[in-house]
Amino acid sequence: MPGSSLWLIPPKDPFNRAMQTQITSMVPMRFAPNKPPTFIPHITLTSHINPALHEPDAQAWLDSLELNIEALLEANETREKDSTDSASAEKRALEAGNLDPPVPPAPTVPSDPEKAALSEETSTSTSAPAPTSTPADPEKAALSDPSPSPTPAPAPSQPSPSACTSPALPIEINLHELEAGDPFFRKLALNATLPSPGLSALATVLRAQGCYGNDVETAKSWEKSEYRPHLSLLYADVPKDEARRKIPGVLQDLVRAKAILKPSRDGTVSKGGSIVLVPTDREIGQWKPIASRPLPEVVWKLNMLL
């Protein structure tokens, strides 16, 4: 898979361990002698992130991301205003000819260019020119000029980690349907119920920053047309029909796992989690988080349809 990805993972609790057991042993056992790759339980928030964005400090980049669409839009407006103000200031400086620090003329040198030329001719015709009649050396004048250089325009502001906000909406992930698919990476997956406003908003704001240069509108279009949140249980290069035939047995395993978890009446099996950055341009065996950011505002539910 090209680029890096942002995943939402459950906390290290019984639900996480139950899903890891399904991915590592229970589901692969039903596809023996195939040996599918293993991975950590996760919901992909966005992928195809250019690694140059988060290098060389992946943790700092992840911490700097806004998690709230409104906050990102406000930051975009601030950056645009700063850029406009900087461009206007530079234009005014160009028009005024003040981009370079002024070099004041020496007191004894006439300000009129013609008089300065005549003065220079007169001084060179004498055998002992008076020190005060020699035009000032521009380089020396510049060195002796005490006036400070103009302050460069500030760079566009970037959101600092401390300024980043929490998601505006609660994030609820209701895993309700086990489905077989054509793609290798979702051969068997637990689909999340849609609409899920909090989850969709989080995916949108991260997609905007990771893939579209903070363009929220493009990210919204992507979310509506392409984003289908799911928790994969199997990566495999097997026919979809073969995977579909395994669904009843896998569902029975999931039902037993859910009973052990003792969910609440609405199916809640876990709370909390983290956003992790994963270099998914590597081999699957190397898909390990390189940065993590806690996200306590997550509720995980398990309500499979039998």
Side-chain angles (χ1 to χ4, degrees):
M1 182 182 294
S4 301
S5 300
L6 289 171
W7 292 353
L8 181 59
I9 63 173
K12 294 181 178 180
D13 63 1
F15 170 64
N16 188 318
R17 291 191 291 272
M19 292 299 100
Q20 189 67 73
T21 298
Q22 295 295 319
I23 293 167
T24 304
S25 59
M26 299 298 289
V27 174
M29 182 175 61
R30 295 185 178 277
F31 288 84
N34 294 306
K35 294 183 178 180
T38 60
F39 46 91
I40 63 174
H42 66 275
I43 301 283
T44 298
L45 296 169
T46 188
S47 56
H48 295 80
I49 298 170
N50 187 338
L53 280 178
H54 58 72
E55 294 172 349
D57 193 338
Q59 187 62 54
W61 180 78
L62 179 57
D63 288 340
S64 75
L65 296 178
E66 286 289 359
L67 305 184
N68 183 311
I69 290 179
E70 295 303 321
L72 179 59
L73 289 171
E74 184 177 342
N76 286 346
E77 291 178 2
T78 300
R79 280 191 289 268
E80 184 176 353
K81 182 178 182 299
D82 289 346
S83 178
T84 301
D85 291 347
S86 176
S88 298
E90 184 176 349
K91 182 180 179 181
R92 289 193 297 270
L94 282 169
E95 291 173 348
N98 291 332
L99 278 183
D100 295 320
V103 180
T108 57
V109 177
S111 58
D112 188 319
E114 293 184 4
K115 292 181 179 179
L118 288 173
S119 175
E120 184 176 356
E121 289 177 4
T122 303
S123 64
T124 55
S125 64
T126 60
S127 57
T132 57
S133 64
T134 304
D137 186 336
E139 293 185 4
K140 292 182 180 179
L143 289 172
S144 62
D145 179 20
S147 60
S149 300
T151 303
S157 60
Q158 298 293 332
S160 62
S162 60
C164 295
T165 56
S166 299
L169 300 171
I171 299 169
E172 180 178 294
I173 300 171
N174 183 31
L175 303 170
H176 75 109
E177 177 189 26
L178 181 62
E179 182 182 35
D182 288 314
F184 174 88
F185 295 111
R186 54 183 307 175
K187 192 59 62 177
L188 273 180
L190 283 166
N191 292 331
T193 301
L194 291 175
S196 179
L199 179 59
S200 294
L202 179 62
T204 298
V205 73
L206 293 177
R207 182 77 174 189
Q209 295 167 94
C211 300
Y212 300 137
N214 296 338
D215 185 343
V216 173
E217 293 306 315
T218 301
K220 285 182 177 179
S221 297
W222 164 83
E223 186 275 325
K224 289 179 181 178
S225 62
E226 298 184 39
Y227 188 56
R228 300 294 179 267
H230 60 277
L231 191 152
S232 288
L233 297 177
L234 177 70
Y235 294 170
D237 190 14
V238 299
K240 179 180 177 180
D241 287 342
E242 180 181 347
R244 186 184 290 118
R245 288 194 294 270
K246 307 292 185 179
I247 286 180
V250 175
L251 271 176
Q252 291 299 323
D253 293 338
L254 289 171
V255 169
R256 284 192 286 269
K258 179 181 177 180
I260 295 172
L261 293 172
K262 298 180 180 179
S264 60
R265 184 170 297 181
D266 66 353
T268 298
V269 290
S270 182
K271 292 183 179 181
S274 300
I275 300 172
V276 296
L277 176 64
V278 182
T280 44
D281 54 351
R282 303 176 184 175
E283 296 293 328
I284 295 176
Q286 300 178 47
W287 286 11
K288 309 295 182 185
I290 58 174
S292 177
R293 181 172 171 179
L295 194 68
E297 307 91 346
V298 185
V299 175
W300 301 80
K301 296 182 178 181
L302 202 53
N303 288 306
M304 296 88 60
L305 300 176
L306 297 177

